[in-house]
PDB file of all heavy atoms in Angstrom:
ATOM      1  N   ASP A  89      -6.691   9.282  40.224  1.00  0.00           N
ATOM      2  CA  ASP A  89      -6.232  10.397  41.062  1.00  0.00           C
ATOM      3  C   ASP A  89      -4.717  10.363  41.267  1.00  0.00           C
ATOM      4  O   ASP A  89      -4.083  11.398  41.422  1.00  0.00           O
ATOM      5  CB  ASP A  89      -6.924  10.344  42.427  1.00  0.00           C
ATOM      6  CG  ASP A  89      -8.404  10.682  42.324  1.00  0.00           C
ATOM      7  OD1 ASP A  89      -8.764  11.507  41.473  1.00  0.00           O
ATOM      8  OD2 ASP A  89      -9.201  10.098  43.079  1.00  0.00           O
ATOM      9  N   GLU A 313      -7.328   2.253  43.453  1.00  0.00           N
ATOM     10  CA  GLU A 313      -8.761   2.431  43.695  1.00  0.00           C
ATOM     11  C   GLU A 313      -9.635   2.015  42.512  1.00  0.00           C
ATOM     12  O   GLU A 313     -10.618   1.316  42.702  1.00  0.00           O
ATOM     13  CB  GLU A 313      -9.062   3.877  44.094  1.00  0.00           C
ATOM     14  CG  GLU A 313      -8.592   4.184  45.493  1.00  0.00           C
ATOM     15  CD  GLU A 313      -9.548   5.093  46.257  1.00  0.00           C
ATOM     16  OE1 GLU A 313     -10.371   5.764  45.627  1.00  0.00           O
ATOM     17  OE2 GLU A 313      -9.445   5.124  47.494  1.00  0.00           O
TER      18      GLU A 313
ATOM     19  N   SER B  75     -19.984  16.323  48.012  1.00  0.00           N
ATOM     20  CA  SER B  75     -19.808  17.639  48.640  1.00  0.00           C
ATOM     21  C   SER B  75     -19.450  18.727  47.632  1.00  0.00           C
ATOM     22  O   SER B  75     -19.728  19.896  47.852  1.00  0.00           O
ATOM     23  CB  SER B  75     -18.744  17.569  49.726  1.00  0.00           C
ATOM     24  OG  SER B  75     -17.526  17.139  49.156  1.00  0.00           O
ATOM     25  N   GLU B  93     -20.999  12.200  52.487  1.00  0.00           N
ATOM     26  CA  GLU B  93     -19.710  12.493  53.130  1.00  0.00           C
ATOM     27  C   GLU B  93     -19.929  13.084  54.519  1.00  0.00           C
ATOM     28  O   GLU B  93     -19.241  12.729  55.479  1.00  0.00           O
ATOM     29  CB  GLU B  93     -18.905  13.495  52.285  1.00  0.00           C
ATOM     30  CG  GLU B  93     -18.399  12.910  50.984  1.00  0.00           C
ATOM     31  CD  GLU B  93     -18.177  13.999  49.952  1.00  0.00           C
ATOM     32  OE1 GLU B  93     -17.235  14.776  50.105  1.00  0.00           O
ATOM     33  OE2 GLU B  93     -18.959  14.085  48.989  1.00  0.00           O
ATOM     34  N   CYS B 122     -11.196   4.572  50.129  1.00  0.00           N
ATOM     35  CA  CYS B 122     -11.511   5.723  50.990  1.00  0.00           C
ATOM     36  C   CYS B 122     -12.489   5.323  52.103  1.00  0.00           C
ATOM     37  O   CYS B 122     -13.514   4.677  51.850  1.00  0.00           O
ATOM     38  CB  CYS B 122     -12.110   6.822  50.125  1.00  0.00           C
ATOM     39  SG  CYS B 122     -12.897   8.126  51.081  1.00  0.00           S
ATOM     40  N   SER B 123     -12.174   5.741  53.315  1.00  0.00           N
ATOM     41  CA  SER B 123     -12.998   5.311  54.449  1.00  0.00           C
ATOM     42  C   SER B 123     -14.394   5.949  54.440  1.00  0.00           C
ATOM     43  O   SER B 123     -15.314   5.411  55.051  1.00  0.00           O
ATOM     44  CB  SER B 123     -12.277   5.598  55.769  1.00  0.00           C
ATOM     45  OG  SER B 123     -11.788   6.912  55.796  1.00  0.00           O
ATOM     46  N   TYR B 124     -14.574   7.056  53.740  1.00  0.00           N
ATOM     47  CA  TYR B 124     -15.936   7.594  53.606  1.00  0.00           C
ATOM     48  C   TYR B 124     -16.805   6.594  52.831  1.00  0.00           C
ATOM     49  O   TYR B 124     -17.962   6.372  53.151  1.00  0.00           O
ATOM     50  CB  TYR B 124     -15.913   8.922  52.837  1.00  0.00           C
ATOM     51  CG  TYR B 124     -15.785  10.167  53.689  1.00  0.00           C
ATOM     52  CD1 TYR B 124     -15.627  11.413  53.096  1.00  0.00           C
ATOM     53  CD2 TYR B 124     -15.854  10.110  55.078  1.00  0.00           C
ATOM     54  CE1 TYR B 124     -15.516  12.568  53.854  1.00  0.00           C
ATOM     55  CE2 TYR B 124     -15.736  11.265  55.845  1.00  0.00           C
ATOM     56  CZ  TYR B 124     -15.561  12.492  55.232  1.00  0.00           C
ATOM     57  OH  TYR B 124     -15.459  13.636  55.975  1.00  0.00           O
ATOM     58  N   VAL B 125     -16.220   6.042  51.799  1.00  0.00           N
ATOM     59  CA  VAL B 125     -16.980   5.099  50.969  1.00  0.00           C
ATOM     60  C   VAL B 125     -17.343   3.869  51.792  1.00  0.00           C
ATOM     61  O   VAL B 125     -18.497   3.417  51.796  1.00  0.00           O
ATOM     62  CB  VAL B 125     -16.143   4.650  49.745  1.00  0.00           C
ATOM     63  CG1 VAL B 125     -16.968   3.757  48.851  1.00  0.00           C
ATOM     64  CG2 VAL B 125     -15.612   5.836  48.980  1.00  0.00           C
ATOM     65  N   ILE B 154     -13.767  16.635  43.411  1.00  0.00           N
ATOM     66  CA  ILE B 154     -12.981  16.350  44.615  1.00  0.00           C
ATOM     67  C   ILE B 154     -12.105  15.116  44.417  1.00  0.00           C
ATOM     68  O   ILE B 154     -11.029  15.029  44.977  1.00  0.00           O
ATOM     69  CB  ILE B 154     -13.862  16.209  45.875  1.00  0.00           C
ATOM     70  CG1 ILE B 154     -15.036  15.257  45.637  1.00  0.00           C
ATOM     71  CG2 ILE B 154     -14.363  17.575  46.321  1.00  0.00           C
ATOM     72  CD1 ILE B 154     -15.805  14.919  46.899  1.00  0.00           C
ATOM     73  N   CYS B 155     -12.566  14.179  43.647  1.00  0.00           N
ATOM     74  CA  CYS B 155     -11.773  12.960  43.377  1.00  0.00           C
ATOM     75  C   CYS B 155     -12.513  12.096  42.367  1.00  0.00           C
ATOM     76  O   CYS B 155     -13.689  12.327  42.089  1.00  0.00           O
ATOM     77  CB  CYS B 155     -11.567  12.175  44.661  1.00  0.00           C
ATOM     78  SG  CYS B 155     -13.116  11.598  45.399  1.00  0.00           S
ATOM     79  N   GLN B 156     -11.823  11.100  41.875  1.00  0.00           N
ATOM     80  CA  GLN B 156     -12.489  10.115  41.007  1.00  0.00           C
ATOM     81  C   GLN B 156     -13.237   9.085  41.847  1.00  0.00           C
ATOM     82  O   GLN B 156     -14.161   8.432  41.380  1.00  0.00           O
ATOM     83  CB  GLN B 156     -11.458   9.378  40.146  1.00  0.00           C
ATOM     84  CG  GLN B 156     -10.663  10.269  39.233  1.00  0.00           C
ATOM     85  CD  GLN B 156     -11.542  11.044  38.291  1.00  0.00           C
ATOM     86  OE1 GLN B 156     -12.408  10.469  37.645  1.00  0.00           O
ATOM     87  NE2 GLN B 156     -11.345  12.339  38.235  1.00  0.00           N
ATOM     88  N   THR B 157     -12.782   8.952  43.083  1.00  0.00           N
ATOM     89  CA  THR B 157     -13.372   7.951  43.973  1.00  0.00           C
ATOM     90  C   THR B 157     -14.884   8.085  44.035  1.00  0.00           C
ATOM     91  O   THR B 157     -15.611   7.086  44.049  1.00  0.00           O
ATOM     92  CB  THR B 157     -12.767   8.132  45.386  1.00  0.00           C
ATOM     93  OG1 THR B 157     -11.364   7.980  45.274  1.00  0.00           O
ATOM     94  CG2 THR B 157     -13.323   7.145  46.377  1.00  0.00           C
ATOM     95  N   VAL B 158     -15.361   9.337  44.078  1.00  0.00           N
ATOM     96  CA  VAL B 158     -16.806   9.522  44.221  1.00  0.00           C
ATOM     97  C   VAL B 158     -17.585   8.902  43.062  1.00  0.00           C
ATOM     98  O   VAL B 158     -18.713   8.458  43.242  1.00  0.00           O
ATOM     99  CB  VAL B 158     -17.194  11.010  44.395  1.00  0.00           C
ATOM    100  CG1 VAL B 158     -16.813  11.505  45.765  1.00  0.00           C
ATOM    101  CG2 VAL B 158     -16.608  11.881  43.309  1.00  0.00           C
ATOM    102  N   TRP B 161     -17.881   5.262  43.820  1.00  0.00           N
ATOM    103  CA  TRP B 161     -18.763   5.172  44.988  1.00  0.00           C
ATOM    104  C   TRP B 161     -20.229   5.339  44.559  1.00  0.00           C
ATOM    105  O   TRP B 161     -21.096   4.529  44.889  1.00  0.00           O
ATOM    106  CB  TRP B 161     -18.324   6.265  45.970  1.00  0.00           C
ATOM    107  CG  TRP B 161     -19.109   6.484  47.199  1.00  0.00           C
ATOM    108  CD1 TRP B 161     -20.167   5.763  47.660  1.00  0.00           C
ATOM    109  CD2 TRP B 161     -18.873   7.526  48.167  1.00  0.00           C
ATOM    110  NE1 TRP B 161     -20.609   6.296  48.856  1.00  0.00           N
ATOM    111  CE2 TRP B 161     -19.836   7.371  49.180  1.00  0.00           C
ATOM    112  CE3 TRP B 161     -17.949   8.559  48.267  1.00  0.00           C
ATOM    113  CZ2 TRP B 161     -19.892   8.219  50.291  1.00  0.00           C
ATOM    114  CZ3 TRP B 161     -18.008   9.401  49.374  1.00  0.00           C
ATOM    115  CH2 TRP B 161     -18.971   9.233  50.377  1.00  0.00           C
ATOM    116  N   LEU B 301      -8.447  16.817  55.245  1.00  0.00           N
ATOM    117  CA  LEU B 301      -9.638  16.575  56.059  1.00  0.00           C
ATOM    118  C   LEU B 301      -9.240  16.445  57.522  1.00  0.00           C
ATOM    119  O   LEU B 301      -8.091  16.119  57.821  1.00  0.00           O
ATOM    120  CB  LEU B 301     -10.318  15.263  55.636  1.00  0.00           C
ATOM    121  CG  LEU B 301     -11.221  15.307  54.405  1.00  0.00           C
ATOM    122  CD1 LEU B 301     -10.395  15.181  53.146  1.00  0.00           C
ATOM    123  CD2 LEU B 301     -12.238  14.186  54.462  1.00  0.00           C
ATOM    124  N   LEU B 355      -9.248  20.859  45.151  1.00  0.00           N
ATOM    125  CA  LEU B 355      -8.819  19.496  44.842  1.00  0.00           C
ATOM    126  C   LEU B 355      -8.799  19.201  43.349  1.00  0.00           C
ATOM    127  O   LEU B 355      -8.329  18.158  42.931  1.00  0.00           O
ATOM    128  CB  LEU B 355      -9.718  18.479  45.557  1.00  0.00           C
ATOM    129  CG  LEU B 355      -9.466  18.342  47.046  1.00  0.00           C
ATOM    130  CD1 LEU B 355     -10.339  17.248  47.651  1.00  0.00           C
ATOM    131  CD2 LEU B 355      -8.012  18.033  47.330  1.00  0.00           C
ATOM    132  N   ASP B 383      -3.456  11.829  54.666  1.00  0.00           N
ATOM    133  CA  ASP B 383      -4.667  11.018  54.870  1.00  0.00           C
ATOM    134  C   ASP B 383      -4.642   9.813  53.935  1.00  0.00           C
ATOM    135  O   ASP B 383      -4.844   9.957  52.727  1.00  0.00           O
ATOM    136  CB  ASP B 383      -5.869  11.929  54.576  1.00  0.00           C
ATOM    137  CG  ASP B 383      -7.206  11.237  54.775  1.00  0.00           C
ATOM    138  OD1 ASP B 383      -7.220  10.009  54.972  1.00  0.00           O
ATOM    139  OD2 ASP B 383      -8.234  11.946  54.726  1.00  0.00           O
ATOM    140  N   SER B 385      -6.628   7.720  53.241  1.00  0.00           N
ATOM    141  CA  SER B 385      -7.859   7.475  52.492  1.00  0.00           C
ATOM    142  C   SER B 385      -8.042   8.430  51.325  1.00  0.00           C
ATOM    143  O   SER B 385      -8.844   8.175  50.446  1.00  0.00           O
ATOM    144  CB  SER B 385      -9.076   7.645  53.410  1.00  0.00           C
ATOM    145  OG  SER B 385      -9.524   6.405  53.883  1.00  0.00           O
ATOM    146  N   CYS B 386      -7.363   9.546  51.373  1.00  0.00           N
ATOM    147  CA  CYS B 386      -7.657  10.574  50.372  1.00  0.00           C
ATOM    148  C   CYS B 386      -6.410  10.919  49.569  1.00  0.00           C
ATOM    149  O   CYS B 386      -5.659  11.828  49.916  1.00  0.00           O
ATOM    150  CB  CYS B 386      -8.227  11.818  51.046  1.00  0.00           C
ATOM    151  SG  CYS B 386      -8.791  13.022  49.837  1.00  0.00           S
ATOM    152  N   LYS B 387      -6.239  10.210  48.478  1.00  0.00           N
ATOM    153  CA  LYS B 387      -5.031  10.438  47.665  1.00  0.00           C
ATOM    154  C   LYS B 387      -5.022  11.823  47.026  1.00  0.00           C
ATOM    155  O   LYS B 387      -3.997  12.502  47.033  1.00  0.00           O
ATOM    156  CB  LYS B 387      -4.873   9.327  46.644  1.00  0.00           C
ATOM    157  CG  LYS B 387      -4.550   8.013  47.327  1.00  0.00           C
ATOM    158  CD  LYS B 387      -4.401   6.877  46.370  1.00  0.00           C
ATOM    159  CE  LYS B 387      -4.263   5.572  47.114  1.00  0.00           C
ATOM    160  NZ  LYS B 387      -5.514   5.183  47.809  1.00  0.00           N
ATOM    161  N   PRO B 388      -6.134  12.289  46.456  1.00  0.00           N
ATOM    162  CA  PRO B 388      -6.040  13.598  45.798  1.00  0.00           C
ATOM    163  C   PRO B 388      -5.601  14.715  46.746  1.00  0.00           C
ATOM    164  O   PRO B 388      -4.941  15.653  46.329  1.00  0.00           O
ATOM    165  CB  PRO B 388      -7.457  13.848  45.276  1.00  0.00           C
ATOM    166  CG  PRO B 388      -8.314  12.785  45.820  1.00  0.00           C
ATOM    167  CD  PRO B 388      -7.440  11.666  46.271  1.00  0.00           C
ATOM    168  N   TYR B 389      -5.975  14.600  48.000  1.00  0.00           N
ATOM    169  CA  TYR B 389      -5.594  15.647  48.946  1.00  0.00           C
ATOM    170  C   TYR B 389      -4.172  15.428  49.469  1.00  0.00           C
ATOM    171  O   TYR B 389      -3.493  16.366  49.875  1.00  0.00           O
ATOM    172  CB  TYR B 389      -6.576  15.662  50.131  1.00  0.00           C
ATOM    173  CG  TYR B 389      -6.984  17.041  50.613  1.00  0.00           C
ATOM    174  CD1 TYR B 389      -8.283  17.296  51.043  1.00  0.00           C
ATOM    175  CD2 TYR B 389      -6.076  18.096  50.637  1.00  0.00           C
ATOM    176  CE1 TYR B 389      -8.673  18.556  51.480  1.00  0.00           C
ATOM    177  CE2 TYR B 389      -6.462  19.360  51.072  1.00  0.00           C
ATOM    178  CZ  TYR B 389      -7.753  19.580  51.491  1.00  0.00           C
ATOM    179  OH  TYR B 389      -8.128  20.830  51.914  1.00  0.00           O
ATOM    180  N   HIS B 415      -8.891   9.952  57.742  1.00  0.00           N
ATOM    181  CA  HIS B 415      -9.905  10.875  58.252  1.00  0.00           C
ATOM    182  C   HIS B 415     -11.055  10.175  58.969  1.00  0.00           C
ATOM    183  O   HIS B 415     -11.741  10.785  59.769  1.00  0.00           O
ATOM    184  CB  HIS B 415     -10.430  11.795  57.143  1.00  0.00           C
ATOM    185  CG  HIS B 415     -11.135  11.082  56.039  1.00  0.00           C
ATOM    186  ND1 HIS B 415     -10.502  10.634  54.912  1.00  0.00           N
ATOM    187  CD2 HIS B 415     -12.427  10.731  55.900  1.00  0.00           C
ATOM    188  CE1 HIS B 415     -11.386  10.061  54.111  1.00  0.00           C
ATOM    189  NE2 HIS B 415     -12.558  10.094  54.685  1.00  0.00           N
TER     190      HIS B 415
HETATM  191  S1  SF4 C   2     -12.090  11.774  51.344  1.00  0.00           S
HETATM  192 FE1  SF4 C   2     -10.927  12.146  49.473  1.00  0.00          FE
HETATM  193  S2  SF4 C   2     -11.086  10.229  48.320  1.00  0.00           S
HETATM  194 FE2  SF4 C   2     -12.681  10.191  49.888  1.00  0.00          FE
HETATM  195  S3  SF4 C   2     -14.501  11.010  48.898  1.00  0.00           S
HETATM  196 FE3  SF4 C   2     -13.464  12.733  49.874  1.00  0.00          FE
HETATM  197  S4  SF4 C   2     -12.134  13.608  48.337  1.00  0.00           S
HETATM  198 FE4  SF4 C   2     -12.718  11.579  47.655  1.00  0.00          FE
END
Side-chain angles (χ1 to χ4, degrees):
Chain A
D89 290 327
E313 287 218 341
Chain B
S75 59
E93 290 155 71
C122 166
S123 49
Y124 269 174
V125 184
I154 49 171
C155 62
Q156 300 302 311
T157 301
V158 287
W161 175 5
L301 279 83
L355 285 184
D383 181 351
S385 262
C386 187
K387 292 179 187 68
Y389 221 143
H415 63 269

